[in-house]
Amino acid sequence: MDTSIERGAPISESFQINKIIILVAVALALRGILNYTPPITPLKVGDKAPNFSLKLVDGATFNFTPHHARHNESSGANGKPMVMFFYANWCPCSNASAQFLKQASEEFSGVALIGIGIQDNETDLSKFLEKHKLKFPAGFDLKQEIARSYGVATTPTTIFINKEAKIDSIFVGKIKKYEEVSERIRKTL
């Protein structure tokens, strides 16, 4: 009778495999923790618009506090309705929509428009502004902190804020005709 015991891998080999499995599990857990971003909670019509501060491409800062939209204190945006245009250079729908926001900025002097670049690097976001010759204030939300606070998950997203600093309407996606912007702006006045 054979009394030999059949063995699997030697203990030192099993230990090495377990170490690798544990290291991979720890690496995946760390990756999940370090890449965590809080979930986006969409705003609804009627919600108070959150405060934000945005460094603009010209080096100035645009500060928005409900009832006090200020661009370098002297812009006169206090108490005005506001249109926020979240865009990205790589996004064909942002590129198609830009012309209508430019037209609105020229027609509606009683409304503060602001462009907020997301999901791109500063160079590409600047190219977008130059390509479309946008003259209203614009800056980069590279960490997407403003986008998250406003519930923006995709580009383009256009948010219309009324004089009471409440969300009047939200337009997600490509703006296909000027009236989609102008009618919403008139409603905020």
Side-chain angles (χ1 to χ4, degrees), residues 160-172:
F160 299 83
I161 300 170
N162 64 27
K163 291 178 190 177
E164 290 77 40
K166 292 186 178 180
I167 306 298
D168 195 76
S169 66
I170 301 169
F171 191 96
V172 179

Side-chain angles (χ1 to χ4, degrees), residues 52-69:
F52 70 89
S53 185
L54 180 67
K55 186 173 181 189
L56 302 176
V57 294
D58 66 4
T61 300
F62 185 97
N63 294 302
F64 176 78
T65 304
H67 299 296
H68 300 95

Side-chain angles (χ1 to χ4, degrees), residues 13-73:
E13 238 178 83
S14 293
F15 183 70
Q16 291 296 335
I17 291 171
N18 287 343
K19 269 185 15 183
I20 291 171
I21 291 170
I22 290 170
L23 285 173
V24 168
V26 168
L28 289 173
L30 282 173
R31 182 174 180 227
I33 291 168
L34 296 176
N35 288 334
Y36 173 76
T37 54
I40 293 175
T41 305
L43 293 177
K44 297 179 292 301
V45 170
D47 285 351
K48 193 75 145 172
N51 298 343
F52 70 89
S53 185
L54 180 67
K55 186 173 181 189
L56 302 176
V57 294
D58 66 4
T61 300
F62 185 97
N63 294 302
F64 176 78
T65 304
H67 299 296
H68 300 95
R70 294 186 314 275
H71 173 229
N72 276 356
E73 297 288 334

Side-chain angles (χ1 to χ4, degrees), residues 2-182:
D2 187 9
T3 58
S4 65
I5 299 174
E6 198 170 311
R7 295 178 160 226
I11 292 177
S12 63
E13 238 178 83
S14 293
F15 183 70
Q16 291 296 335
I17 291 171
N18 287 343
K19 269 185 15 183
I20 291 171
I21 291 170
I22 290 170
L23 285 173
V24 168
V26 168
L28 289 173
L30 282 173
R31 182 174 180 227
I33 291 168
L34 296 176
N35 288 334
Y36 173 76
T37 54
I40 293 175
T41 305
L43 293 177
K44 297 179 292 301
V45 170
D47 285 351
K48 193 75 145 172
N51 298 343
F52 70 89
S53 185
L54 180 67
K55 186 173 181 189
L56 302 176
V57 294
D58 66 4
T61 300
F62 185 97
N63 294 302
F64 176 78
T65 304
H67 299 296
H68 300 95
R70 294 186 314 275
H71 173 229
N72 276 356
E73 297 288 334
S74 61
S75 72
N78 288 336
K80 287 183 179 181
M82 185 168 68
V83 178
M84 301 171 71
F85 177 54
F86 290 88
Y87 68 92
N89 188 46
W90 59 264
C91 174
C93 294
S94 290
N95 281 283
S97 301
Q99 64 179 322
F100 301 118
L101 275 295
K102 180 181 179 187
Q103 186 177 350
S105 73
E106 294 165 354
E107 181 180 336
F108 293 98
S109 60
V111 174
L113 271 92
I114 185 157
I116 303 176
I118 60 174
Q119 303 173 352
D120 258 335
N121 61 48
E122 284 188 50
T123 303
D124 288 338
L125 294 170
S126 292
K127 286 179 186 175
F128 181 91
L129 297 172
E130 291 168 20
K131 176 175 29 177
H132 296 290
K133 297 177 177 54
L134 299 178
K135 302 295 183 205
F136 51 84
F140 314 122
D141 183 18
L142 299 176
K143 293 181 182 177
Q144 298 190 48
E145 292 166 346
I146 299 168
R148 266 196 305 280
S149 72
Y150 276 82
V152 174
T154 189
T155 60
T157 297
T158 310
I159 300 176
F160 299 83
I161 300 170
N162 64 27
K163 291 178 190 177
E164 290 77 40
K166 292 186 178 180
I167 306 298
D168 195 76
S169 66
I170 301 169
F171 191 96
V172 179
K174 178 181 176 181
I175 298 169
K176 297 177 184 162
K177 57 185 181 176
Y178 180 63
E179 290 72 30
E180 291 174 326
V181 174
S182 62

